[in-house]
Amino acid sequence: MDCLIIGAGPAGLTAATYLARFKRRVSIVDAGSSRARYIPVSHNVPGFPFGIAGTELLAKLRAQAEQFGVTVESDRIERIERDDREFVAHASQKQWRARRILLATGVVDEQPRIDGLDDAIERGIVRICAICDGFEAQDHRIAVYGPMEQAVRHATFLRTFSRSVTAVSTEQSEADTERLHALAAESGIEIRANPRELALDETGCEFVFDDEAVERFDTVYPVLGAKGQTQLAVELGARVDATGELVVDRHMQTTVEHLYAAGDVVSGLNQVSVAVGHAAIAATAIHNSLPSNYL
């Protein structure tokens, strides 16, 4: 085939639609772990003024790709090899051969290990992306939970939306605390450290601290980090940046020839609209890099 796309999130599905409309032979292999499925309702996806759930957005993007003949197969690619001028992608019991590959494998967020997490995300008590939904958390009592540096910086961003934002640091001992406390004071942010327990209920969350203090919040943003799903590319020699995400050129090609990447797996702003833009650039570049397919 012309291109195998790995991952059926917004980037992968959009790229598939473009390539199919360029009359290229394209398939998608998807492990079913798109980060977008966690979006309860997004109000910053262009074209949906009343918001759209992540699962609904994925369904629409998939239906659009399939309308042009794209096949989406449920499987997990375990490794990729080069064979002459093609790639060979291997799953446990099947393989695919393609002249180009687009990785749209995304990132996996580190989340607190706590009962009721999925329900809390659906209710908007636990939120994953301040850029996406800080507007919806207006006037909430917000906690940002993670290493001190990340917690304080995310908290300053969220001060746009709330007067009550607390950075809850997961670290027992922190470097450069003077600078971070100064930034917090300047921004009107409280810092609490060493939470012993985090509990969720139907209306919010509670932290219990080592000093036995209990603080309740309407919303918590975990900022515990995210891991880019780059292993398949790295094993082929692709380069990642300091954050562990793939380095690409202006055509979304990685440092491995004919291996492209789009969406959250690429270094940059992790947003649906950015992923869609990556996909358009990558798909067009892939089409132009292939031999002509004139009628």
Side-chain angles (χ1 to χ4, degrees), residues 200-281:
L200 303 168
D201 58 35
E202 292 185 356
T203 60
C205 66
E206 285 186 349
F207 283 94
V208 180
F209 295 91
D210 282 348
D211 61 2
E212 303 302 331
V214 177
E215 292 201 32
R216 185 169 181 82
F217 299 92
D218 303 308
T219 300
V220 57
Y221 282 89
V223 288
L224 301 170
K227 183 177 181 181
Q229 302 303 288
T230 61
Q231 182 178 352
L232 293 171
V234 170
E235 289 174 351
L236 286 170
R239 188 162 63 87
V240 296
D241 65 9
T243 67
E245 294 169 322
L246 288 169
V247 175
V248 296
D249 65 16
R250 64 190 181 94
H251 300 295
M252 309 308 297
Q253 184 172 227
T254 71
T255 52
V256 174
E257 187 179 24
H258 299 157
L259 177 66
Y260 294 77
D264 292 354
V265 75
V266 173
S267 184
L269 187 64
N270 293 347
Q271 293 286 290
V272 169
S273 54
V274 173
V276 168
H278 284 177
I281 294 168

Side-chain angles (χ1 to χ4, degrees), residues 70-211:
V70 175
T71 300
V72 181
E73 298 188 60
S74 296
D75 213 330
R76 181 177 296 277
I77 300 298
E78 297 176 347
R79 72 182 191 281
I80 303 171
E81 300 172 344
R82 295 294 292 263
D83 181 6
D84 294 328
R85 302 179 68 179
E86 290 187 322
F87 293 97
V88 184
H90 298 268
S92 58
Q93 297 183 356
K94 187 174 180 179
Q95 66 181 33
W96 293 259
R97 303 181 72 91
R99 293 190 285 182
R100 305 288 185 271
I101 284 184
L102 173 64
L103 287 177
T105 44
V107 299
V108 175
D109 293 285
E110 183 69 30
Q111 295 287 4
R113 296 179 182 178
I114 188 168
D115 292 338
L117 180 63
D118 288 348
D119 182 63
I121 291 172
E122 187 174 345
R123 291 175 180 272
I125 294 166
V126 175
R127 296 179 180 269
I128 296 172
C129 176
I131 294 172
C132 305
D133 59 19
F135 186 91
E136 277 67 48
Q138 285 188 87
D139 298 324
H140 288 196
R141 191 156 190 256
I142 299 172
V144 183
Y145 174 58
M148 191 173 185
E149 178 85 34
Q150 291 90 324
V152 170
R153 293 202 171 278
H154 278 75
T156 59
F157 178 84
L158 283 160
R159 276 287 284 114
T160 296
F161 308 103
S162 173
R163 295 177 178 85
S164 177
V165 184
T166 299
V168 179
S169 173
T170 58
E171 297 171 337
Q172 296 298 320
S173 60
E174 296 131 1
D176 204 8
T177 56
E178 185 176 345
R179 174 181 59 86
L180 292 172
H181 277 278
L183 176 61
E186 180 183 340
S187 305
I189 295 162
E190 183 181 358
I191 295 178
R192 291 301 309 265
N194 304 333
R196 191 176 69 205
E197 182 181 346
L198 167 60
L200 303 168
D201 58 35
E202 292 185 356
T203 60
C205 66
E206 285 186 349
F207 283 94
V208 180
F209 295 91
D210 282 348
D211 61 2

